[in-house]
Amino acid sequence: MEITGLHKSFGDLEVLRGIDLSVSPGEVVCVIGPSGSGKSTLLRCVNLLEEPTSGTVTVAGAEVTDPDVDIDRVRRRIGMVFQSFNLFPHLTALGNLTIAQRRVLGRGKAEAEETARHNLRRVGLTDKESAYPAQLSGGQQQRVAIARALSMDPRLMLFDEPTSALDPELVGDVLAVMRTLADEGMTMLVVTHEMSFAREVADRVVFMDGGVIVEEGAPEQVVVEPRHARTRAFLARVL
Ligand code: ADP
Ligand code: MG
């Protein structure tokens, strides 16, 4: 994934003020920063949930910001996991994992179910395929949402504060799944407030404030020995 010169304004409000960021295949990049700094907007520009005001975004060789791009095709390659799980309440876990595979990728029932079961196993929910979202804990629902994204065979996974809505005791299971994905070589861009996850799992940490990248580097550098006063002030609040 490569972002160059990305700007995004909502009316008079300039939320992203020139972002350059790349994520190499297999790399895990964590984005940290205060509320309102533009982290979600950045992620949403990557799959064109928001249309950038200017700049380019390229994912897996396709320029997302090219007006002629087949955006549905590009979106299929990008898995996105939000703070809210957005599962279909009337479908079982298995149903939530098969529906997009069948409708968007055109997979047959057997193949979609096989892929779904494989991914439920990856997130540790083999025994929950027949459960409806309401019968699952928040952490289990989020793991279903991750398995659903994985079932589309994404080239890039975007996570936007995936554990922020969870009770503290459920956070660890979701982070463990993300850690496993990272170990397996998934390319990931993760917005998180979980500093220990960022320190231990990220290849690179990016600190954003006010719509710009203030500093980026190895986790030990950015999280432990930040160069900028704004980064230090932020870390003092969250650590
Ligand atoms: P973060 O995820 O870092 O908390 P966001 O990207 O959600 O930050 O928001 C950055 C700024 O952009 C905030 O001031 C927010 O109010 C504003 N913003 C986000 N989305 C919209 C929108 N659709 N319309 C207007 N303003 C928005
Ligand atoms: Mg956000």
Side-chain angles (χ1 to χ4, degrees), residues 94-116:
L94 195 72
N96 269 282
L97 266 63
T98 53
I99 187 165
Q101 293 186 65
R102 301 199 62 191
R103 293 205 180 153
V104 179
L105 301 182
R107 286 181 182 158
K109 187 168 188 281
E111 185 190 0
E113 290 188 349
E114 187 185 318
T115 305

Side-chain angles (χ1 to χ4, degrees), residues 177-191:
V177 165
M178 293 169 64
R179 190 181 294 249
T180 304
L181 286 183
D183 290 344
E184 289 171 0
M186 179 63 75
T187 309
M188 295 165 54
L189 183 58
V190 182
V191 175

Side-chain angles (χ1 to χ4, degrees), residues 34-41 83 160-161 191 193:
S35 179
S37 57
K39 306 179 301 294
S40 294
T41 304
Q83 191 173 325
D160 193 356
E161 299 192 33
V191 175
H193 293 298

Side-chain angles (χ1 to χ4, degrees), residues 135-196:
Q135 299 170 317
L136 299 170
S137 73
Q140 290 169 334
Q141 289 183 56
Q142 189 61 299
R143 282 145 68 198
V144 171
I146 294 171
R148 176 177 59 180
L150 293 173
S151 294
M152 305 297 281
D153 298 331
R155 298 280 299 276
L156 171 69
M157 286 285 287
L158 306 175
F159 292 87
D160 193 356
E161 299 192 33
T163 60
S164 293
L166 300 177
D167 291 333
E169 74 271 22
L170 303 176
V171 168
D173 289 342
V174 172
L175 293 180
V177 165
M178 293 169 64
R179 190 181 294 249
T180 304
L181 286 183
D183 290 344
E184 289 171 0
M186 179 63 75
T187 309
M188 295 165 54
L189 183 58
V190 182
V191 175
T192 186
H193 293 298
E194 296 290 335
M195 290 304 144
S196 56

Side-chain angles (χ1 to χ4, degrees), residues 112-127:
E113 290 188 349
E114 187 185 318
T115 305
R117 290 197 172 99
H118 167 71
N119 285 303
L120 283 174
R121 198 175 317 121
R122 287 171 87 182
V123 301
L125 291 175
T126 303
D127 55 335

Side-chain angles (χ1 to χ4, degrees), residues 47-48 69-78 104-105:
N47 59 6
L48 237 54
V69 77
D70 179 352
I71 187 61
D72 292 329
R73 217 183 135 87
V74 180
R75 281 203 187 111
R76 275 176 227 158
R77 321 303 306 275
I78 305 173
V104 179
L105 301 182

